[in-house]
Amino acid sequence: KAGVTQTPRYLIKTRGQQVTLSCSPISGHRSVSWYQQTPGQGLQFLFEYFSETQRNKGNFPGRFSGRQFSNSRSEMNVSTLELGDSALYLCASSPWGNLDYGYTFGSGTRLTVV
Amino acid sequence: TQLLEQSPQFLSIQEGENLTVYCNSSSVFSSLQWYRQEPGEGPVLLVTVVTGGEVKKLKRLTFQFGDARKDSSLHITAAQTGDTGLYLCAGRNAGNTPLVFGKGTRLSVIA
């Protein structure tokens, strides 16, 4: 069974640019969540999607947005990049229905803003 | 906002030693999970606990969920170098609330 696939693995962008990150969940998983991981703040919740609907949103500015497609693949977009957006962005998938089911994470996209 | 406090932040021990790391909150969680993350990779689920007082064992790892479902501990017996990594606890309140993570305990096991 293929795992969670995130692309690209590494990305370098300039301040002010925008970026789109992609996540393909495990086949059959309908829920996708996104997290930002930094050394100082740990994993911070960004979004949670189920069946193309955003179920939860974290406390991030409007520059951070996301969506989920009918095949459960998800993308997140960050506009007007700032230096502080440099982080590891992690995507996780899970089946829905059992809230106690653990997440399967991808390897992440390492974004560096210069 | 639910907060999960993990302690200690850093731990460096010799191979063969035992250790315990803690995850505490003032909030009640419907379930609590432990993950291990290695450099350059995403976290990997180790265990989910859902019942207050529950104890689960995974080889040399023992996980316990507090009776009040506000805290949890992870005990490793006879640590090995392969146990090195960042250990994260994560909890979810009842309902469709997001999974929130602690900042983790970074464990280094030295041969």
Side-chain angles (χ1 to χ4, degrees):
Chain A
K1 199 175 194 182
V4 178
T5 303
Q6 290 189 247
T7 56
R9 283 296 306 269
Y10 302 93
L11 206 49
I12 300 176
K13 289 287 188 178
T14 305
R15 272 181 303 175
Q17 287 187 312
Q18 75 166 17
V19 66
T20 299
L21 312 181
S22 179
C23 172
S24 293
I26 289 175
S27 177
H29 283 196
R30 300 171 68 185
S31 173
V32 172
S33 296
W34 289 89
Y35 289 83
Q36 180 196 66
Q37 186 176 29
T38 58
Q41 298 300 319
L43 272 88
Q44 292 192 287
F45 172 73
L46 282 159
F47 320 100
E48 184 172 28
Y49 289 92
F50 175 71
S51 292
E52 302 178 68
T53 300
Q54 188 179 89
R55 288 298 184 107
N56 288 293
K57 187 178 191 303
N59 189 26
F60 278 81
R63 300 184 296 107
F64 291 81
S65 63
R67 59 179 176 169
Q68 186 180 33
F69 302 96
S70 58
N71 62 358
S72 293
R73 190 177 70 86
S74 179
E75 289 181 346
M76 67 163 283
N77 183 277
V78 188
S79 62
T80 320
L81 284 166
E82 300 178 359
L83 295 179
D85 297 333
S86 294
L88 180 66
Y89 289 86
L90 291 162
C91 165
S93 76
S94 71
W96 196 259
N98 182 344
L99 296 178
D100 298 325
Y101 201 94
Y103 284 1
T104 302
F105 281 86
S107 296
T109 294
R110 171 76 61 186
L111 172 65
T112 302
V113 182
V114 297
Chain B
T1 303
Q2 321 142 19
L3 286 177
L4 283 164
E5 301 288 339
Q6 290 192 244
S7 61
Q9 275 188 283
F10 302 95
L11 190 54
S12 182
I13 62 171
Q14 295 288 325
E15 201 170 26
E17 292 184 350
N18 301 332
L19 67 114
T20 303
V21 298
Y22 301 92
C23 174
N24 295 292
S25 176
S26 57
S27 300
V28 175
F29 292 95
S30 64
S31 65
L32 200 139
Q33 299 165 5
W34 285 91
Y35 293 79
R36 183 172 70 205
Q37 185 179 22
E38 298 188 21
E41 297 298 326
V44 174
L45 179 69
L46 297 173
V47 77
T48 300
V49 286
V50 298
T51 305
E54 182 176 5
V55 177
K56 281 192 173 180
K57 291 192 174 184
L58 183 66
K59 297 183 180 178
R60 295 175 293 101
L61 278 60
T62 302
F63 304 85
Q64 184 160 9
F65 200 12
D67 291 340
R69 304 205 318 275
K70 293 182 178 181
D71 56 86
S72 181
S73 64
L74 159 59
H75 181 80
I76 301 179
T77 303
Q80 300 176 356
T81 55
D83 295 327
T84 293
L86 178 66
Y87 288 82
L88 296 158
C89 68
R92 189 193 294 270
N93 288 139
N96 294 334
T97 55
L99 191 67
V100 292
F101 283 79
K103 292 187 178 182
T105 292
R106 191 165 296 281
L107 173 64
S108 177
V109 182
I110 304 164

